[in-house]
Amino acid sequence: MPERSLEDALESAGSPLELLRRNRGRHPYPVPSEHTNWIEEVKSWRETCSLSDLSHHQKDLYVRGPDALDVFADLGVNDFEGFEPGQAKQFVACNTEGYLIGDAILFYLDDEELKLTGTPIAPNWVEYNLETGEYDATSEADERYHDKDEPHKTFRYQLQGPKALDVMRDAVEGEIPDIPFFNFDEVTIADVDVHALKHSMASNVGFEIWGPWEAGDAVRDALVEAGEEYGLRQLGEKSYKAQGQEKGWIARPVPAIYGDEMAEYRDWLDDDSYEAISTLGGSFDADDISAYYLNPIELGYERFVDFDHDFVGREAVREMTEEPQREKVTLVWDHEDVLELFASLLGEGETYKYFDLSMPYWAVFHYDEVLKDGDSVGLAKYFGYTYNEREVLSLALVDEEYAEPGTEVTLVWGEPDGESANPKVESHTQTEITATVAPNPYVDAER
């Protein structure tokens, strides 16, 4: 166990809410704010091609051994029947009550070898279960998030946009193999053997490319050179953050690990873990941390769930499928209300919570309250401005009766009482934003 654990940090703080509300978190990512300008960079993944450097955040957990797949099957809600090397899937893990601990991308690298990539939450949970369970498998962690030590094991880049396939054809030596969706294969770029995962985001074909860390510069330079004639733009932090609102993925829920039944796990996590230092923010202000927990059904993961195998939380998740759940939607902010946010910075009087384009970021776990006629009807999570749509969008979960596109609701903007123990938050006046319900994902719905 660590010298000082997450459980120790919670005892010192008094409660999970007290700890998470005052944290600063690790941010920003160590990439430039803008490579050129963030507006042209945002446009690139819809009009030409974008290149993102994902080498400096998230965590890679390599699991090797005869029971390597078993630990994922025991913890994940997913269907693992027919899962084989060269394939990937979105791994989803819950606690015993069926609430989400975390999700990440699981790569089947080779016989008895898998890699889990994502925010450290899901990899940490798998690593703990490997160490404390009876599995004939070992793990190796590459702590690739924020300010963790370098060098790392691999680099990771993402190509996205209507010209992404053209860029790949020019950058890859020889023919690109026919890679099915969410499968990966080996290709050669700049004389370096790398892996390429085929995926899509915001209606466009894309690739995630990873290879040995020391070859990262050479591969990036080759991709940039191949992309010049296609209008490729490298994404800085400001533009990279704007992708989430378009693709509709609700990122970074509070992990459901703060109950009594998870005390041993919190003793295993150190007080510098992602779960210990990440920040909770936004207008939603509950008395119990469990009010921030989300479940896989409301997040749209029901299509992943396989009840034909035993996994942690199976019966609880099964019951959730039989009960009404909040629905995943997009909230489109009213333009006049957005303009008032900026106008409050000019002249005398109160100011509202600062909105930094493309996305203000002061909390890892962001939760805004959604109201209808003064009553709470949901939670808004990932949010920000996208130049491609000329809109401010929030990704939200709302009660079923308010999920119809065109429904008008109210989003509460700003911290409770306009104050926060988090030093990244300035004093401000909380306000309300009129928002209109739209489908999730927002972009796919329009095209």
Side-chain angles (χ1 to χ4, degrees):
M1 286 201 285
E3 183 175 334
R4 180 172 166 79
S5 69
L6 168 57
E7 187 71 358
D8 294 329
L10 289 173
E11 290 180 5
S12 297
S15 73
L17 290 172
E18 289 290 332
L19 176 67
L20 298 179
R21 282 283 184 184
R22 76 184 186 196
N23 280 341
R24 293 181 64 107
R26 284 194 177 98
H27 196 78
Y29 304 144
V31 298
S33 176
E34 300 169 284
H35 281 276
T36 51
N37 66 85
W38 69 269
I39 289 180
E40 298 290 346
E41 291 170 15
V42 166
K43 290 169 63 178
S44 67
W45 68 71
R46 292 277 286 276
E47 297 181 1
T48 55
C49 182
S50 65
L51 175 64
S52 305
D53 184 353
L54 310 183
S55 306
H56 308 280
H57 75 291
Q58 305 187 347
K59 175 177 178 174
D60 284 339
L61 183 71
Y62 295 85
V63 180
R64 303 180 180 94
D67 294 342
L69 184 59
D70 292 346
V71 65
F72 294 104
D74 289 346
L75 300 177
V77 307
N78 310 74
D79 179 5
F80 291 92
E81 188 69 29
F83 191 42
E84 59 187 28
Q87 297 179 338
K89 65 173 64 212
Q90 187 174 354
F91 171 79
V92 177
C94 298
N95 69 6
T96 56
E97 297 178 332
Y99 290 102
L100 187 76
I101 292 177
D103 64 330
I105 303 302
L106 180 62
F107 298 86
Y108 207 144
L109 298 179
D110 205 345
D111 292 336
E112 300 185 359
E113 183 179 11
L114 298 97
K115 178 182 74 168
L116 188 65
T117 297
T119 60
I121 293 171
N124 286 347
W125 175 237
V126 172
E127 189 174 5
Y128 164 77
N129 279 275
L130 270 173
E131 288 189 13
T132 59
E134 297 181 357
Y135 294 100
D136 185 7
T138 60
S139 66
E140 176 189 0
D142 188 2
E143 303 280 3
R144 273 194 329 179
Y145 67 102
H146 302 322
D147 58 359
K148 291 293 186 180
D149 292 338
E150 297 180 358
H152 301 301
K153 187 177 179 66
T154 61
F155 66 82
R156 186 160 66 99
Y157 301 134
Q158 182 186 82
L159 275 178
Q160 189 67 49
K163 299 297 184 180
L165 186 56
D166 294 318
V167 175
M168 282 291 284
R169 287 193 182 109
D170 285 1
V172 168
E173 298 171 17
E175 295 292 323
I176 299 177
D178 184 14
I179 307 174
F181 174 73
F182 238 59
N183 282 235
F184 58 92
D185 207 337
E186 190 173 272
V187 298
T188 301
I189 300 174
D191 296 324
V192 180
D193 293 334
V194 301
H195 285 93
L197 168 75
K198 189 175 184 179
H199 67 86
S200 62
M201 184 184 67
S203 303
N204 287 317
V205 171
F207 295 89
E208 287 199 4
I209 302 156
W210 73 93
W213 178 263
E214 59 274 12
D217 289 350
V219 173
R220 182 198 59 230
D221 291 347
L223 291 169
V224 171
E225 182 178 355
E228 283 183 4
E229 69 174 286
Y230 301 108
L232 179 144
R233 297 267 182 164
Q234 295 187 71
L235 299 189
E237 184 192 11
K238 287 173 71 71
S239 53
Y240 175 73
K241 291 187 300 186
Q243 296 179 92
Q245 299 84 273
E246 294 188 21
K247 68 183 178 180
W249 177 53
I250 295 182
R252 300 187 297 271
V254 169
I257 64 166
Y258 297 98
D260 293 341
E261 75 284 357
M262 300 288 272
E264 291 186 7
Y265 178 48
R266 296 194 300 273
D267 276 328
W268 181 86
L269 290 166
D270 65 46
D271 69 343
D272 191 44
S273 65
Y274 190 92
E275 298 85 345
I277 57 89
S278 292
T279 315
L280 175 65
S283 63
F284 182 67
D285 188 22
D287 294 329
D288 193 290
I289 191 68
S290 64
Y292 296 83
Y293 294 169
L294 307 181
N295 73 64
I297 307 306
E298 63 186 347
L299 286 169
Y301 296 156
E302 185 172 3
R303 66 189 186 280
F304 299 157
V305 180
D306 171 34
F307 291 114
D308 291 335
H309 83 290
D310 194 20
F311 60 86
V312 175
R314 182 179 67 170
E315 294 311 312
V317 175
R318 191 195 303 272
E319 290 178 8
M320 290 170 178
T321 65
E322 300 169 355
E323 301 170 351
Q325 298 291 332
R326 293 177 295 198
E327 293 193 13
K328 190 166 65 168
V329 300
T330 303
L331 301 182
V332 184
W333 291 28
D334 178 77
H335 289 192
E336 292 299 321
D337 288 351
V338 173
L339 290 173
E340 283 191 23
L341 294 182
F342 291 100
S344 72
L345 298 172
L346 305 173
E348 301 295 326
E350 62 188 16
T351 58
Y352 302 127
K353 180 70 190 75
Y354 177 61
F355 197 110
D356 183 24
L357 299 178
S358 64
M359 177 182 172
Y361 194 108
W362 66 92
V364 174
F365 309 131
H366 190 99
Y367 287 70
D368 285 326
E369 188 164 25
V370 180
L371 307 174
K372 180 66 177 180
D373 299 327
D375 296 325
S376 183
V377 298
L379 299 170
K381 290 281 291 129
Y382 207 94
F383 67 99
Y385 170 78
T386 168
Y387 182 83
N388 289 328
E389 299 297 326
R390 310 293 179 92
E391 300 285 4
V392 177
L393 306 174
S394 284
L395 307 181
L397 299 168
V398 300
D399 294 343
E400 189 176 21
E401 61 187 294
Y402 305 108
E404 183 69 24
T407 303
E408 192 173 278
V409 295
T410 300
L411 181 144
V412 182
W413 176 249
E415 295 290 299
D417 300 319
E419 301 289 342
S420 173
N422 178 1
K424 291 184 178 180
V425 178
E426 78 282 5
S427 294
H428 59 275
T429 299
Q430 195 178 72
T431 189
E432 295 183 348
I433 304 291
T434 300
T436 303
V437 172
N440 178 309
Y442 186 71
V443 171
D444 284 352
E446 293 191 333
R447 285 166 170 71

